[in-house]
Amino acid sequence: MTGVRVLGRTVDDETRCVHYATPLDVIAIRFACCGEYYPCHRCHAECADHPAEQWPREQRDREAILCGVCSSELTIERYLEVDACPNCSAAFNPGCRLHSAYYFQA
């Protein structure tokens, strides 16, 4: 992984954390509130000193998703369109869509 700092309780270099550590859990999200990358909403809740904020819908063109496999940064819009990294083809966990309300306004 590149020098992008991922905060939280990560368990490997592909951004898996103590909460989500399947082979498909290879992304980190830059949080709108602080601009820091965390593997998941639970890591942010445990480690940040402030509440999480969702990315506004009108900012979906911002790079806020980090592929833990190749370290590519994706825009929110692109991430929501794909099931795998468009740069290295690493599959993303489809279950993450269940948590999108934690990160992005509908």
Side-chain angles (χ1 to χ4, degrees):
M1 208 164 97
T2 72
V4 175
R5 184 173 74 154
V6 178
L7 304 175
R9 296 176 14 189
T10 57
V11 296
D12 69 15
D13 288 341
E14 292 186 344
T15 74
R16 291 176 189 89
C17 68
V18 297
H19 308 107
Y20 300 100
T22 73
L24 300 178
D25 292 314
V26 294
I27 64 149
I29 299 104
R30 182 189 321 246
F31 277 71
C33 47
C34 57
E36 298 285 357
Y37 275 107
Y38 287 88
C40 74
H41 62 97
R42 293 171 65 187
C43 283
H44 184 277
E46 291 173 359
C47 298
D49 62 358
H50 58 272
E53 294 178 17
Q54 294 172 313
W55 282 98
R57 187 167 183 75
E58 62 272 8
Q59 291 186 18
R60 289 200 174 174
D61 62 338
R62 299 283 305 272
E63 287 184 340
I65 309 299
L66 177 71
C67 174
V69 175
C70 72
S71 300
S72 295
E73 291 182 280
L74 290 86
T75 64
I76 296 164
E77 182 175 53
R78 184 72 174 132
Y79 168 70
L80 294 173
E81 294 172 344
V82 299
D83 294 323
C85 178
N87 298 302
C88 72
S89 301
F92 296 150
N93 188 337
C96 289
R97 294 200 195 298
L98 300 173
H99 302 133
S100 65
Y102 290 118
Y103 312 108
F104 318 117
Q105 287 180 350

